Amino acid sequence: MNEEDIPIIEMEDILKTKEIADMTGLAQSTVRKYAQELEKAGYTFKKDETGRYYTKEDLVIFTQLKEVRDKAGIKVEHAADVVVTQYKRTTQSMSPAETTTEMESQAIQLQHTMQYIQKLEEALQQQQDMISKLEGRLERQEKRQDLRDESLTQVLREVAETKKMLAASKEKKWYEFWK
């Protein structure tokens, strides 16, 4: 391998696991786990003899992975597949300089999508609350109907009993009426 084959990366462009963790709000162990899942999904990190090192582009990938994971509530493996697939689609037709800008715009687009999902979840929660209220009203109405039915049944029994008493009194002779 010639020196010409080695990509030139400025020291300020190299990020360590701790820096990625601080910038994304993840634990260092989570950054390592996410890196492993991203590699399984087909994403490649730059490496040297000490291990992985990260670039600003990798920071965008980690941020997207975290957002997808948090907002969609899916497993890390699935979120990594989604992010890597999206990354591969955008980088196939772009130059390296365009990649970072496109990734940033995709991150913004993803953020808007996540906000939309959050609004949908809020609307769903409101609908569920309304359904709960309506179920409560329905239960109260059914109880009132049951009480009304019981009262009506009792009144009908009393009317039937009164009719029986009237019929029995009519059967008595007129002279037995006072007895």
Side-chain angles (χ1 to χ4, degrees), residues 49-64:
E49 57 280 344
T50 61
R52 289 185 209 99
Y53 60 91
Y54 307 103
T55 63
K56 291 179 182 177
E57 185 176 291
D58 298 332
L59 175 62
V60 173
I61 293 289
F62 279 109
T63 303
Q64 285 182 338

Side-chain angles (χ1 to χ4, degrees), residues 10 15 23 54 61 63 83 100 104 130 137 145-146 157 178:
E10 308 258 339
L15 300 171
M23 291 177 181
Y54 307 103
I61 293 289
T63 303
V83 170
T100 304
E104 289 170 352
M130 182 61 78
R137 289 176 74 185
Q145 285 177 343
D146 289 343
R157 283 187 194 133
W178 288 280

Side-chain angles (χ1 to χ4, degrees), residues 39-176:
E39 286 177 334
K40 287 179 189 174
Y43 186 81
T44 53
F45 292 100
K46 311 250 185 308
K47 295 182 180 182
D48 62 11
E49 57 280 344
T50 61
R52 289 185 209 99
Y53 60 91
Y54 307 103
T55 63
K56 291 179 182 177
E57 185 176 291
D58 298 332
L59 175 62
V60 173
I61 293 289
F62 279 109
T63 303
Q64 285 182 338
L65 179 60
K66 180 181 183 233
E67 286 178 2
V68 168
R69 173 112 166 78
D70 291 346
K71 298 290 182 181
I74 57 177
K75 293 183 177 181
V76 178
E77 301 87 34
H78 299 302
D81 287 337
V82 168
V83 170
V84 171
T85 301
Q86 186 68 26
Y87 170 77
K88 285 182 178 180
R89 260 191 242 146
T90 58
T91 57
Q92 285 176 350
S93 62
M94 300 173 70
S95 69
E98 295 173 315
T99 302
T100 304
T101 306
E102 181 61 27
M103 291 295 290
E104 289 170 352
S105 68
Q106 284 183 354
I108 292 169
Q109 184 179 9
L110 181 62
Q111 185 177 13
H112 290 297
T113 304
M114 294 303 168
Q115 289 172 348
Y116 179 71
I117 289 171
Q118 186 176 14
K119 286 179 183 178
L120 288 175
E121 288 173 344
E122 289 171 2
L124 179 62
Q125 183 61 42
Q126 288 175 349
Q127 286 179 342
Q128 288 173 341
D129 292 344
M130 182 61 78
I131 288 170
S132 296
K133 287 178 184 177
L134 289 173
E135 286 174 344
R137 289 176 74 185
L138 182 61
E139 282 181 31
R140 288 191 302 274
Q141 191 174 20
E142 286 175 350
K143 286 179 183 178
R144 275 188 254 137
Q145 285 177 343
D146 289 343
L147 287 173
R148 185 199 68 201
D149 291 348
E150 288 175 18
S151 297
L152 186 58
T153 304
Q154 184 179 357
V155 168
L156 288 174
R157 283 187 194 133
E158 290 173 2
V159 168
E161 194 175 305
T162 304
K163 282 184 178 181
K164 283 181 188 178
M165 288 174 60
L166 281 174
S169 70
K170 284 183 181 179
E171 288 179 10
K172 289 185 180 181
K173 309 254 187 268
W174 66 272
Y175 54 85
E176 295 178 349

